[in-house]
């Protein structure tokens, strides 16, 4: 899909990591740049990375802010990503993640609760506003899910004369998507984390992030004009990839809205 005139390029780097410029500022989502291999998750499970980032961490240039959906899993923040954060002026993440990262980053990390906003000075529009939005990393309520998979935050970016951008983070809740639409919809660009990850030992093998069918439904809910899928490749626990996403969007008549992120 060609980028629409009022849109902006998004570079998908593999896994959940995407790079884009918005309002004259450069943003990076969930930095993961380690080499393929096995990585302990911290709860006895091991995640296997199957392919490298399309661009190394040393090749992405200056970043103004990292939008980190959560810090506790190596497929969302790995060792190379943590090193990168030290050179970034601002990391926005969960309240718990802010506490855990504050020893490394000090005041350069900020946790966002639901609907809490943070304004960044923009060379183009005066300010860019980043709002934390709900995300649930598994089936059920937050009370049921967060003790198992941890706290996650999504983001909405807005600015005067700029498109509305939604970044889902590791979210499996369409209810959370509907809440985002109710406050911000329609959405111009949705960066949707997908891949249908499952673990037999977690929630009876139910989804912990959107599958392709749910990504289609999220697109409809948001009335999103462009969808950039991420978090569907590069890790063995993703059970659906580009083929399943293409099929689901084609079957729904929404394939023209897909943008595969201008991979490097």
């Amino acid at each position: 899909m060609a980028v629409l005139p009022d849109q902006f390029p998004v570079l998908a780097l593999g896994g959940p990591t995407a790079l884009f410029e918005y309002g004259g500022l450069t943003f990076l989502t969930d930095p993961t740049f380690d080499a393929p291999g096995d990585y302990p998750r911290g709860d006895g499970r091991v995640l296997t990375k199957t392919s490298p980032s399309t661009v190394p961490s040393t090749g992405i240039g200056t970043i103004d802010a990292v939008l980190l959906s959560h810090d506790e899993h190596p497929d969302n923040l790995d060792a190379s990503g943590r090193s990168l954060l030290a050179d970034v002026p601002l990391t926005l993440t969960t309240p718990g993640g802010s506490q855990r990262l504050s020893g490394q980053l000090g005041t350069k990390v900020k946790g966002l609760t639901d609907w809490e906003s943070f304004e960044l000075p923009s060379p183009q529009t005066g300010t860019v506003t980043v709002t934390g939005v709900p995300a649930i990393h598994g089936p059920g309520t937050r009370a049921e899910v967060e003790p198992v998979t941890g706290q996650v935050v999504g983001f909405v970016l807005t600015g005067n004369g700029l498109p509305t951008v939604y970044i889902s983070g590791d979210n499996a809740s369409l209810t959370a998507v509907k809440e985002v639409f109710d406050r911000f919809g329609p959405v111009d660009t949705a960066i949707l984390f997908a891949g249908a990850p499952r673990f037999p030992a977690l929630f009876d093998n139910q989804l912990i992030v959107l599958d392709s069918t749910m990504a289609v439904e999220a697109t409809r809910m948001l009335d999103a004009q462009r969808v950039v899928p991420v978090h569907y490749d590069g890790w063995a626990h993703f059970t659906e990839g580009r083929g399943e996403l293409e099929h689901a969007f084609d079957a729904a008549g929404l394939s023209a809205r897909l943008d595969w992120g201008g991979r490097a």
Side-chain angles (χ1 to χ4, degrees):
M1 168 181 171
V3 177
L4 300 175
D6 60 344
Q7 297 288 5
F8 54 92
V10 177
L11 184 65
L13 304 181
T17 310
L19 180 71
F20 61 92
E21 184 178 304
Y22 179 87
L25 302 173
T26 302
F27 293 88
L28 183 72
T29 67
D30 289 19
T32 54
F33 294 98
D34 286 352
D38 293 336
Y39 293 92
R41 212 180 85 144
D43 57 4
R45 280 177 283 274
V46 174
L47 303 183
T48 300
K49 188 171 187 177
T50 58
S51 58
S53 171
T54 59
V55 176
S57 60
T58 55
I60 59 174
T62 300
I63 305 298
D64 293 297
V66 167
L67 305 176
L68 176 62
S69 72
H70 59 301
D71 68 304
E72 296 178 274
H73 301 152
D75 60 327
N76 296 88
L77 180 66
D78 59 17
S80 298
R82 287 177 187 273
S83 297
L84 178 146
L85 295 183
D87 297 323
V88 176
L90 176 68
T91 296
L92 297 174
T93 189
T94 63
S98 176
Q99 293 178 359
R100 286 183 291 272
L101 293 169
S102 63
Q104 173 194 358
L105 302 179
T107 60
K108 296 196 299 181
V109 61
K110 163 71 176 171
L112 296 179
T113 59
D114 287 354
W115 317 120
E116 181 180 2
S117 295
F118 189 92
E119 292 190 346
L120 289 78
S122 163
Q124 290 185 358
T125 62
T127 59
V128 165
T129 300
V130 181
T131 303
V133 299
I136 302 177
H137 199 357
T141 66
R142 274 183 160 163
E144 295 166 331
V145 170
E146 288 186 355
V148 180
T149 53
Q151 189 179 55
V152 179
V153 64
F155 305 95
V156 169
L157 279 63
T158 53
N160 185 32
L162 296 174
T164 299
V165 179
Y166 168 56
I167 300 165
S168 70
D170 274 12
N171 173 58
S173 170
L174 290 176
T175 299
V177 173
K178 177 63 164 54
E179 291 175 1
V180 170
F181 176 81
D182 289 343
R183 294 216 181 200
F184 292 99
V187 164
D188 296 288
T189 291
I191 299 176
L192 294 183
F193 288 39
R198 305 172 186 267
F199 294 93
L202 290 180
F203 309 113
D204 295 324
N205 210 39
Q206 295 183 76
L207 291 166
I208 60 173
V209 182
L210 301 178
D211 67 5
S212 300
T213 299
M214 294 172 75
V216 166
E217 186 60 26
T219 301
R220 287 176 168 148
M221 283 182 167
L222 297 163
D223 194 18
Q225 297 306 297
R226 175 175 65 151
V227 174
V228 182
V230 298
H231 194 273
Y232 64 87
D233 63 348
W235 291 86
H237 60 286
F238 298 165
T239 67
E240 294 182 2
R242 177 165 175 161
E244 288 83 359
L245 283 161
E246 287 179 331
H247 177 76
F249 275 77
D250 183 61
L254 296 174
S255 58
R257 302 193 191 190
L258 278 176
D259 179 352
W260 293 102
R263 288 179 169 273

